Amino acid sequence: MAIGEFDLIKCYFERSASSAGVELGIGDDCALLDVPAGKHLAVSMDTLVAGVHFPADASSRLIAERALRVNLSDLAAMGAEPLWFTLGLTLPEPNPDWLENFSVGLFAAADEFNCVLVGGDTTRGPLSMTLQVHGAVDSKNALRRSGARIGDLVCVTGCLGDGAAALAVIQDKLWPGEDAREYLLDRFYRPRPQLVEGQLLLGVASAALDISDGLIADLGHICECSNVGAIVDIERLPLSSAMRANVSVMQANTWALAGGDDYQLCFTLPPAKQLALQTLIDSGQLQATIVGEIVSGSGVICRSEGVEVNLSATGYNHF
Ligand code: ADP
Ligand code: MG
């Protein structure tokens, strides 16, 4: 190794982290941290392996930025506010260019979302990384998956399907104009963790999660945890103009329902909270759309023009 482990950490990862709650950051055997009074510590971890979760030759700046943003999306889904994160990094060799770009991407996201790097581990081996984010959430109100009740409305933030459309662009299967291309790629590499939105939904939503595997699959997790079923109206799905302008309605809806990598929130809303949600939307604080409702039973049913439809790999068909 041209650069020793300790120099590497100092050079690329140790920054003066005088931040609220960080009594002691990188450099000792442990970090010492203060959890805000009255809050739960919300903890989530993601591992990314080269060749599995990203191409080995992908830009390290984009990998780092995306990795932290995706991890923060889990905090958003609980209504938690980011505090700190740790990084386990396994490198085949300490390449200074790779590390410099990695560090730039990592701290760009860390600074944007007020999340401080407080420790980690650095080892030699096949390229992979594990990030663990820590956040604070009101101990009474955390947004769990298990709170949906029959009669609640099903809502989503932002637009759906952009992640899958972006992947098609990256895989050279979709060729939109320059503006749409830029918009979609930015959505993919720099997903927006819905942190402000998640916190606004505390005490409003009855259940929530972030959509990483497509609305149907992820809403299915809420249904399972809450022992309920759900109906989604395809015509209500929020689609970006960048995606809509470049693919058929069928493709757009299929990506919105079953594509991955959107990192928007899906949440359920008791009817009594509908006015509170509308107020948040009207005041411009929250972009959200009602797409369906929670019903008795199990699993997610899709409806088009009021008729149940069957979603297959190639699209959806009326039964
Ligand atoms: P130890 O051998 O006691 O586990 P290390 O040598 O692994 O200590 O780490 C020294 C310090 O550097 C610790 O504070 C650790 O949290 C931090 N650290 C190590 N690797 C990283 C990393 N990739 N990112 C951030 N901090 C790191
Ligand atoms: Mg260690």
Side-chain angles (χ1 to χ4, degrees):
M1 270 205 196
I3 180 173
E5 181 190 334
F6 299 107
D7 290 337
L8 185 156
I9 295 163
K10 260 205 166 53
C11 187
Y12 299 108
F13 298 118
E14 198 170 331
R15 299 199 318 187
S16 54
S18 61
S19 175
V22 182
E23 170 70 21
L24 189 62
I26 292 173
D28 212 310
D29 296 311
C30 292
L32 298 176
L33 309 163
D34 298 322
V35 180
K39 303 279 175 120
H40 279 318
L41 187 63
V43 178
S44 179
M45 178 183 278
D46 273 325
T47 293
L48 300 175
V49 178
V52 179
H53 302 101
F54 60 89
D57 62 354
S59 149
S60 59
R61 182 177 63 79
L62 293 179
I63 298 168
E65 180 147 22
R66 186 168 193 278
L68 185 53
R69 285 167 170 270
V70 165
N71 216 183
L72 288 169
S73 175
D74 284 318
L75 290 183
M78 298 300 288
E81 169 197 3
L83 296 171
W84 323 293
F85 71 107
T86 53
L87 167 69
L89 191 57
T90 303
L91 297 169
E93 53 171 2
N95 175 329
D97 282 345
W98 193 96
L99 278 160
E100 174 62 28
N101 285 319
F102 185 86
S103 151
V104 166
L106 192 71
F107 285 114
D111 292 345
E112 181 171 345
F113 299 106
N114 284 319
C115 199
V116 180
L117 181 62
V118 294
D121 198 24
T122 308
T123 54
R124 195 191 267 259
L127 180 61
S128 75
M129 63 204 67
T130 297
L131 278 80
Q132 186 172 46
V133 290
H134 303 79
V137 64
D138 192 292
S139 32
K140 286 182 286 293
N141 276 332
L143 300 173
R144 302 171 191 227
R145 297 179 175 190
S146 53
R149 299 290 174 260
I150 295 164
D152 286 359
L153 300 168
V154 175
C155 310
V156 298
T157 61
C159 294
L160 299 182
D162 288 343
L167 197 60
V169 172
I170 291 166
Q171 293 172 341
D172 207 21
K173 293 174 183 160
L174 180 69
W175 309 275
E178 199 45 49
D179 285 357
R181 183 186 164 82
E182 212 167 280
Y183 165 87
L184 291 171
L185 292 182
D186 186 60
R187 291 284 139 167
F188 185 85
Y189 289 117
R190 304 176 68 246
R192 314 290 195 271
Q194 301 288 294
L195 289 156
V196 173
E197 292 79 357
Q199 288 165 59
L200 285 171
L201 291 172
L202 290 169
V204 177
S206 50
L209 49 49
D210 63 325
I211 308 173
S212 53
D213 299 324
L215 177 62
I216 294 182
D218 287 315
L219 177 54
H221 297 315
I222 288 185
C223 288
E224 203 181 320
C225 294
S226 303
N227 289 312
V228 293
I231 296 177
V232 170
D233 285 311
I234 290 178
E235 283 73 25
R236 296 168 115 174
L237 294 170
L239 309 172
S240 72
S241 50
M243 179 178 65
R244 249 195 357 226
N246 288 286
V247 300
S248 68
V249 176
M250 178 73 87
Q251 179 65 88
N253 286 332
T254 303
W255 277 341
L257 289 168
D261 299 315
D262 279 328
Y263 301 104
Q264 296 293 339
L265 299 182
C266 171
F267 60 95
T268 57
L269 185 78
K273 300 287 184 181
Q274 205 175 344
L275 197 61
L277 179 75
Q278 199 55 51
T279 305
L280 289 172
I281 294 172
D282 291 345
S283 63
Q285 296 182 80
L286 185 68
Q287 193 196 338
T289 309
I290 298 170
V291 297
E293 62 187 293
I294 296 295
V295 295
S296 62
S298 64
V300 179
I301 291 167
C302 294
R303 220 165 37 185
S304 174
E305 286 154 6
V307 182
E308 219 174 282
V309 294
N310 182 16
L311 195 80
S312 71
T314 53
Y316 53 88
N317 307 297
H318 289 267
F319 279 122

CSV table of all heavy atoms in Angstrom, one decimal, residues 270-318:
chain,number,residue,atom,x,y,z
A,270,PRO,N,-55.0,8.1,7.5
A,270,PRO,CA,-56.3,8.0,8.0
A,270,PRO,C,-57.2,9.1,7.4
A,270,PRO,O,-56.8,10.2,7.3
A,270,PRO,CB,-56.2,8.2,9.6
A,270,PRO,CG,-54.7,8.0,9.8
A,270,PRO,CD,-54.0,8.4,8.6
A,271,PRO,N,-58.5,8.8,7.1
A,271,PRO,CA,-59.4,9.8,6.5
A,271,PRO,C,-59.4,11.1,7.3
A,271,PRO,O,-59.5,12.2,6.8
A,271,PRO,CB,-60.7,9.1,6.5
A,271,PRO,CG,-60.4,7.6,6.5
A,271,PRO,CD,-59.2,7.5,7.2
A,272,ALA,N,-59.3,10.9,8.7
A,272,ALA,CA,-59.4,12.1,9.5
A,272,ALA,C,-58.2,13.1,9.3
A,272,ALA,O,-58.2,14.2,9.7
A,272,ALA,CB,-59.5,11.7,11.0
A,273,LYS,N,-57.1,12.6,8.7
A,273,LYS,CA,-55.9,13.4,8.5
A,273,LYS,C,-55.9,14.0,7.0
A,273,LYS,O,-54.9,14.6,6.7
A,273,LYS,CB,-54.7,12.5,8.7
A,273,LYS,CG,-54.6,12.0,10.1
A,273,LYS,CD,-54.2,13.0,11.1
A,273,LYS,CE,-54.1,12.4,12.5
A,273,LYS,NZ,-53.8,13.4,13.5
A,274,GLN,N,-56.9,13.7,6.3
A,274,GLN,CA,-56.9,14.2,4.9
A,274,GLN,C,-56.7,15.7,4.7
A,274,GLN,O,-56.0,16.2,3.9
A,274,GLN,CB,-58.1,13.7,4.1
A,274,GLN,CG,-57.8,13.5,2.6
A,274,GLN,CD,-59.0,12.9,1.9
A,274,GLN,OE1,-59.9,12.3,2.5
A,274,GLN,NE2,-59.0,13.1,0.6
A,275,LEU,N,-57.4,16.4,5.6
A,275,LEU,CA,-57.3,17.9,5.6
A,275,LEU,C,-55.9,18.3,5.9
A,275,LEU,O,-55.4,19.2,5.3
A,275,LEU,CB,-58.3,18.5,6.6
A,275,LEU,CG,-58.7,19.9,6.4
A,275,LEU,CD1,-59.3,20.1,5.0
A,275,LEU,CD2,-59.6,20.4,7.4
A,276,ALA,N,-55.3,17.7,6.9
A,276,ALA,CA,-53.9,18.0,7.3
A,276,ALA,C,-53.0,17.8,6.2
A,276,ALA,O,-52.1,18.6,5.9
A,276,ALA,CB,-53.5,17.2,8.5
A,277,LEU,N,-53.2,16.7,5.4
A,277,LEU,CA,-52.3,16.5,4.3
A,277,LEU,C,-52.5,17.5,3.2
A,277,LEU,O,-51.6,18.1,2.6
A,277,LEU,CB,-52.6,15.1,3.7
A,277,LEU,CG,-51.7,14.8,2.4
A,277,LEU,CD1,-50.3,14.4,2.8
A,277,LEU,CD2,-52.3,13.6,1.6
A,278,GLN,N,-53.8,17.8,2.9
A,278,GLN,CA,-54.1,18.8,1.9
A,278,GLN,C,-53.5,20.2,2.2
A,278,GLN,O,-53.0,20.9,1.4
A,278,GLN,CB,-55.6,19.0,1.7
A,278,GLN,CG,-56.1,19.6,0.4
A,278,GLN,CD,-55.5,18.9,-0.8
A,278,GLN,OE1,-55.6,17.7,-0.9
A,278,GLN,NE2,-54.8,19.6,-1.7
A,279,THR,N,-53.5,20.5,3.5
A,279,THR,CA,-52.9,21.8,3.9
A,279,THR,C,-51.4,21.8,3.7
A,279,THR,O,-50.8,22.8,3.2
A,279,THR,CB,-53.1,22.0,5.5
A,279,THR,OG1,-54.5,21.9,5.7
A,279,THR,CG2,-52.6,23.4,5.9
A,280,LEU,N,-50.7,20.7,3.9
A,280,LEU,CA,-49.3,20.5,3.6
A,280,LEU,C,-49.0,20.7,2.1
A,280,LEU,O,-48.0,21.3,1.7
A,280,LEU,CB,-48.7,19.2,4.2
A,280,LEU,CG,-48.6,19.0,5.7
A,280,LEU,CD1,-48.2,17.6,6.0
A,280,LEU,CD2,-47.6,20.0,6.2
A,281,ILE,N,-49.9,20.1,1.3
A,281,ILE,CA,-49.7,20.1,-0.1
A,281,ILE,C,-50.0,21.5,-0.6
A,281,ILE,O,-49.2,22.1,-1.4
A,281,ILE,CB,-50.7,19.1,-0.8
A,281,ILE,CG1,-50.3,17.7,-0.4
A,281,ILE,CG2,-50.7,19.3,-2.3
A,281,ILE,CD1,-51.3,16.6,-0.9
A,282,ASP,N,-51.1,22.1,-0.2
A,282,ASP,CA,-51.4,23.5,-0.7
A,282,ASP,C,-50.4,24.5,-0.3
A,282,ASP,O,-50.2,25.5,-1.0
A,282,ASP,CB,-52.8,23.9,-0.1
A,282,ASP,CG,-53.9,23.0,-0.7
A,282,ASP,OD1,-53.7,22.4,-1.7
A,282,ASP,OD2,-55.0,23.0,-0.1
A,283,SER,N,-49.7,24.3,0.9
A,283,SER,CA,-48.8,25.3,1.3
A,283,SER,C,-47.4,25.1,0.6
A,283,SER,O,-46.4,25.8,0.9
A,283,SER,CB,-48.6,25.3,2.8
A,283,SER,OG,-48.1,24.0,3.2
A,284,GLY,N,-47.3,24.1,-0.2
A,284,GLY,CA,-46.1,23.8,-1.0
A,284,GLY,C,-45.0,23.1,-0.2
A,284,GLY,O,-43.9,23.0,-0.7
A,285,GLN,N,-45.4,22.6,1.0
A,285,GLN,CA,-44.4,21.9,1.8
A,285,GLN,C,-44.2,20.5,1.4
A,285,GLN,O,-43.1,19.9,1.7
A,285,GLN,CB,-44.8,22.0,3.3
A,285,GLN,CG,-44.8,23.4,3.9
A,285,GLN,CD,-45.2,23.3,5.3
A,285,GLN,OE1,-44.4,23.0,6.2
A,285,GLN,NE2,-46.5,23.5,5.6
A,286,LEU,N,-45.2,19.9,0.8
A,286,LEU,CA,-45.2,18.5,0.5
A,286,LEU,C,-45.8,18.2,-0.9
A,286,LEU,O,-46.8,18.8,-1.2
A,286,LEU,CB,-46.0,17.8,1.6
A,286,LEU,CG,-46.0,16.2,1.5
A,286,LEU,CD1,-44.7,15.7,1.9
A,286,LEU,CD2,-47.1,15.7,2.5
A,287,GLN,N,-45.1,17.5,-1.7
A,287,GLN,CA,-45.6,17.0,-3.0
A,287,GLN,C,-46.1,15.6,-2.8
A,287,GLN,O,-45.2,14.7,-2.6
A,287,GLN,CB,-44.6,17.1,-4.1
A,287,GLN,CG,-45.1,17.0,-5.5
A,287,GLN,CD,-44.0,16.7,-6.5
A,287,GLN,OE1,-42.9,17.0,-6.3
A,287,GLN,NE2,-44.5,16.1,-7.6
A,288,ALA,N,-47.4,15.4,-2.8
A,288,ALA,CA,-47.9,14.0,-2.5
A,288,ALA,C,-49.2,13.8,-3.3
A,288,ALA,O,-49.9,14.7,-3.6
A,288,ALA,CB,-48.1,13.8,-1.0
A,289,THR,N,-49.4,12.5,-3.7
A,289,THR,CA,-50.6,12.2,-4.5
A,289,THR,C,-51.3,11.0,-3.8
A,289,THR,O,-50.6,10.0,-3.4
A,289,THR,CB,-50.1,11.7,-5.9
A,289,THR,OG1,-49.3,12.7,-6.4
A,289,THR,CG2,-51.3,11.6,-6.8
A,290,ILE,N,-52.6,11.1,-3.7
A,290,ILE,CA,-53.4,9.9,-3.3
A,290,ILE,C,-53.5,8.9,-4.5
A,290,ILE,O,-54.0,9.3,-5.5
A,290,ILE,CB,-54.8,10.3,-2.8
A,290,ILE,CG1,-54.6,11.3,-1.6
A,290,ILE,CG2,-55.6,9.1,-2.4
A,290,ILE,CD1,-55.9,11.9,-1.2
A,291,VAL,N,-53.1,7.7,-4.3
A,291,VAL,CA,-53.1,6.7,-5.4
A,291,VAL,C,-54.0,5.5,-5.1
A,291,VAL,O,-54.2,4.7,-6.0
A,291,VAL,CB,-51.7,6.2,-5.7
A,291,VAL,CG1,-50.9,7.4,-6.3
A,291,VAL,CG2,-51.1,5.5,-4.6
A,292,GLY,N,-54.6,5.4,-3.9
A,292,GLY,CA,-55.4,4.2,-3.6
A,292,GLY,C,-55.9,4.2,-2.2
A,292,GLY,O,-55.9,5.2,-1.5
A,293,GLU,N,-56.3,3.0,-1.8
A,293,GLU,CA,-56.8,2.9,-0.4
A,293,GLU,C,-56.5,1.5,0.2
A,293,GLU,O,-56.3,0.6,-0.6
A,293,GLU,CB,-58.3,3.1,-0.4
A,293,GLU,CG,-59.1,2.1,-1.2
A,293,GLU,CD,-60.6,2.5,-1.3
A,293,GLU,OE1,-61.3,2.4,-0.3
A,293,GLU,OE2,-61.1,2.8,-2.5
A,294,ILE,N,-56.6,1.5,1.5
A,294,ILE,CA,-56.4,0.3,2.2
A,294,ILE,C,-57.7,-0.4,2.4
A,294,ILE,O,-58.7,0.2,2.8
A,294,ILE,CB,-55.7,0.6,3.6
A,294,ILE,CG1,-54.3,1.2,3.4
A,294,ILE,CG2,-55.6,-0.7,4.5
A,294,ILE,CD1,-53.3,0.3,2.8
A,295,VAL,N,-57.7,-1.7,2.1
A,295,VAL,CA,-58.9,-2.5,2.2
A,295,VAL,C,-58.7,-3.8,3.1
A,295,VAL,O,-57.5,-4.0,3.4
A,295,VAL,CB,-59.4,-2.9,0.8
A,295,VAL,CG1,-59.8,-1.7,0.0
A,295,VAL,CG2,-58.4,-3.7,0.1
A,296,SER,N,-59.7,-4.5,3.4
A,296,SER,CA,-59.5,-5.7,4.1
A,296,SER,C,-58.9,-6.8,3.2
A,296,SER,O,-58.9,-6.6,1.9
A,296,SER,CB,-60.9,-6.3,4.7
A,296,SER,OG,-61.7,-6.5,3.6
A,297,GLY,N,-58.4,-7.8,3.7
A,297,GLY,CA,-57.7,-8.9,2.9
A,297,GLY,C,-56.2,-8.8,3.0
A,297,GLY,O,-55.7,-8.3,4.0
A,298,SER,N,-55.6,-9.2,1.9
A,298,SER,CA,-54.1,-9.1,1.8
A,298,SER,C,-53.7,-8.8,0.4
A,298,SER,O,-54.4,-9.1,-0.6
A,298,SER,CB,-53.5,-10.4,2.3
A,298,SER,OG,-53.9,-11.5,1.4
A,299,GLY,N,-52.5,-8.3,0.3
A,299,GLY,CA,-51.9,-8.0,-1.0
A,299,GLY,C,-52.3,-6.8,-1.7
A,299,GLY,O,-53.3,-6.1,-1.2
A,300,VAL,N,-51.7,-6.4,-2.8
A,300,VAL,CA,-52.0,-5.2,-3.5
A,300,VAL,C,-52.7,-5.5,-4.8
A,300,VAL,O,-52.2,-6.3,-5.6
A,300,VAL,CB,-50.7,-4.4,-3.8
A,300,VAL,CG1,-51.0,-3.1,-4.6
A,300,VAL,CG2,-49.9,-4.1,-2.5
A,301,ILE,N,-53.8,-4.8,-5.0
A,301,ILE,CA,-54.6,-5.0,-6.3
A,301,ILE,C,-54.5,-3.7,-7.1
A,301,ILE,O,-54.6,-2.6,-6.5
A,301,ILE,CB,-56.1,-5.3,-6.0
A,301,ILE,CG1,-56.2,-6.7,-5.4
A,301,ILE,CG2,-56.9,-5.2,-7.2
A,301,ILE,CD1,-57.6,-7.0,-4.8
A,302,CYS,N,-54.3,-3.8,-8.4
A,302,CYS,CA,-54.2,-2.6,-9.2
A,302,CYS,C,-55.6,-2.5,-10.0
A,302,CYS,O,-56.1,-3.5,-10.4
A,302,CYS,CB,-53.1,-2.7,-10.2
A,302,CYS,SG,-51.5,-2.6,-9.4
A,303,ARG,N,-56.0,-1.2,-10.2
A,303,ARG,CA,-57.3,-1.0,-10.8
A,303,ARG,C,-57.0,0.0,-12.0
A,303,ARG,O,-56.3,1.0,-11.8
A,303,ARG,CB,-58.2,-0.4,-9.8
A,303,ARG,CG,-59.6,-0.8,-9.9
A,303,ARG,CD,-60.5,-0.5,-8.7
A,303,ARG,NE,-60.2,0.8,-8.0
A,303,ARG,CZ,-60.8,1.1,-6.9
A,303,ARG,NH1,-61.6,0.3,-6.3
A,303,ARG,NH2,-60.5,2.3,-6.3
A,304,SER,N,-57.6,-0.2,-13.1
A,304,SER,CA,-57.5,0.7,-14.2
A,304,SER,C,-58.9,1.1,-14.7
A,304,SER,O,-59.7,0.1,-15.0
A,304,SER,CB,-56.7,0.2,-15.4
A,304,SER,OG,-56.7,1.1,-16.5
A,305,GLU,N,-59.3,2.3,-14.7
A,305,GLU,CA,-60.6,2.8,-15.0
A,305,GLU,C,-61.7,1.9,-14.2
A,305,GLU,O,-62.7,1.5,-14.7
A,305,GLU,CB,-60.9,2.7,-16.5
A,305,GLU,CG,-60.2,3.8,-17.2
A,305,GLU,CD,-59.8,3.4,-18.7
A,305,GLU,OE1,-60.3,2.3,-19.1
A,305,GLU,OE2,-59.2,4.2,-19.3
A,306,GLY,N,-61.3,1.7,-12.9
A,306,GLY,CA,-62.3,1.0,-12.0
A,306,GLY,C,-62.3,-0.5,-12.1
A,306,GLY,O,-63.0,-1.1,-11.4
A,307,VAL,N,-61.5,-1.0,-13.1
A,307,VAL,CA,-61.5,-2.5,-13.3
A,307,VAL,C,-60.2,-3.1,-12.8
A,307,VAL,O,-59.1,-2.5,-13.1
A,307,VAL,CB,-61.7,-2.8,-14.8
A,307,VAL,CG1,-61.8,-4.4,-15.0
A,307,VAL,CG2,-63.0,-2.2,-15.3
A,308,GLU,N,-60.2,-4.2,-12.1
A,308,GLU,CA,-59.0,-4.8,-11.6
A,308,GLU,C,-58.1,-5.3,-12.8
A,308,GLU,O,-58.7,-5.8,-13.8
A,308,GLU,CB,-59.4,-6.1,-10.8
A,308,GLU,CG,-58.6,-6.3,-9.6
A,308,GLU,CD,-59.1,-7.5,-8.8
A,308,GLU,OE1,-60.1,-7.3,-8.1
A,308,GLU,OE2,-58.6,-8.6,-8.9
A,309,VAL,N,-56.8,-5.0,-12.7
A,309,VAL,CA,-55.9,-5.5,-13.8
A,309,VAL,C,-54.8,-6.3,-13.2
A,309,VAL,O,-54.5,-6.3,-12.1
A,309,VAL,CB,-55.3,-4.3,-14.6
A,309,VAL,CG1,-56.4,-3.5,-15.3
A,309,VAL,CG2,-54.5,-3.4,-13.6
A,310,ASN,N,-54.2,-7.1,-14.1
A,310,ASN,CA,-53.2,-8.0,-13.8
A,310,ASN,C,-51.9,-7.5,-14.3
A,310,ASN,O,-51.8,-7.3,-15.5
A,310,ASN,CB,-53.6,-9.4,-14.4
A,310,ASN,CG,-52.6,-10.5,-14.1
A,310,ASN,OD1,-51.8,-10.3,-13.1
A,310,ASN,ND2,-52.7,-11.5,-14.8
A,311,LEU,N,-50.9,-7.4,-13.4
A,311,LEU,CA,-49.6,-6.8,-13.9
A,311,LEU,C,-48.7,-8.0,-14.2
A,311,LEU,O,-48.5,-8.8,-13.4
A,311,LEU,CB,-49.0,-6.0,-12.8
A,311,LEU,CG,-47.9,-5.1,-13.2
A,311,LEU,CD1,-48.4,-3.8,-13.9
A,311,LEU,CD2,-47.0,-4.7,-12.0
A,312,SER,N,-48.2,-7.9,-15.4
A,312,SER,CA,-47.2,-9.0,-15.8
A,312,SER,C,-45.9,-8.3,-16.2
A,312,SER,O,-45.8,-7.1,-16.1
A,312,SER,CB,-47.7,-9.7,-17.0
A,312,SER,OG,-47.6,-8.9,-18.2
A,313,ALA,N,-44.9,-9.1,-16.5
A,313,ALA,CA,-43.6,-8.5,-16.8
A,313,ALA,C,-43.6,-7.5,-18.0
A,313,ALA,O,-42.8,-6.6,-18.1
A,313,ALA,CB,-42.6,-9.7,-17.2
A,314,THR,N,-44.6,-7.7,-18.9
A,314,THR,CA,-44.6,-6.9,-20.1
A,314,THR,C,-45.6,-5.7,-19.9
A,314,THR,O,-45.8,-5.0,-20.9
A,314,THR,CB,-45.0,-7.7,-21.3
A,314,THR,OG1,-46.2,-8.4,-21.0
A,314,THR,CG2,-43.9,-8.7,-21.6
A,315,GLY,N,-46.3,-5.6,-18.8
A,315,GLY,CA,-47.3,-4.6,-18.7
A,315,GLY,C,-48.4,-5.1,-17.9
A,315,GLY,O,-48.3,-6.1,-17.1
A,316,TYR,N,-49.6,-4.5,-18.0
A,316,TYR,CA,-50.7,-5.0,-17.3
A,316,TYR,C,-51.9,-5.3,-18.2
A,316,TYR,O,-52.0,-4.6,-19.3
A,316,TYR,CB,-51.2,-4.0,-16.2
A,316,TYR,CG,-51.4,-2.6,-16.6
A,316,TYR,CD1,-52.6,-2.2,-17.1
A,316,TYR,CD2,-50.4,-1.7,-16.6
A,316,TYR,CE1,-52.9,-0.9,-17.5
A,316,TYR,CE2,-50.6,-0.4,-17.0
A,316,TYR,CZ,-51.8,0.0,-17.5
A,316,TYR,OH,-52.0,1.3,-17.9
A,317,ASN,N,-52.7,-6.2,-17.9
A,317,ASN,CA,-53.8,-6.7,-18.7
A,317,ASN,C,-55.1,-6.7,-17.9
A,317,ASN,O,-55.0,-7.0,-16.7
A,317,ASN,CB,-53.6,-8.1,-19.2
A,317,ASN,CG,-52.2,-8.2,-19.9
A,317,ASN,OD1,-52.0,-7.6,-20.9
A,317,ASN,ND2,-51.4,-9.0,-19.3
A,318,HIS,N,-56.2,-6.4,-18.5
A,318,HIS,CA,-57.4,-6.6,-17.9
A,318,HIS,C,-57.6,-8.1,-17.7
A,318,HIS,O,-57.2,-8.8,-18.6
A,318,HIS,CB,-58.6,-6.0,-18.7
A,318,HIS,CG,-58.5,-4.5,-18.6
A,318,HIS,ND1,-59.3,-3.7,-17.7
A,318,HIS,CD2,-57.8,-3.6,-19.4
A,318,HIS,CE1,-59.0,-2.4,-17.9
A,318,HIS,NE2,-58.1,-2.3,-18.9
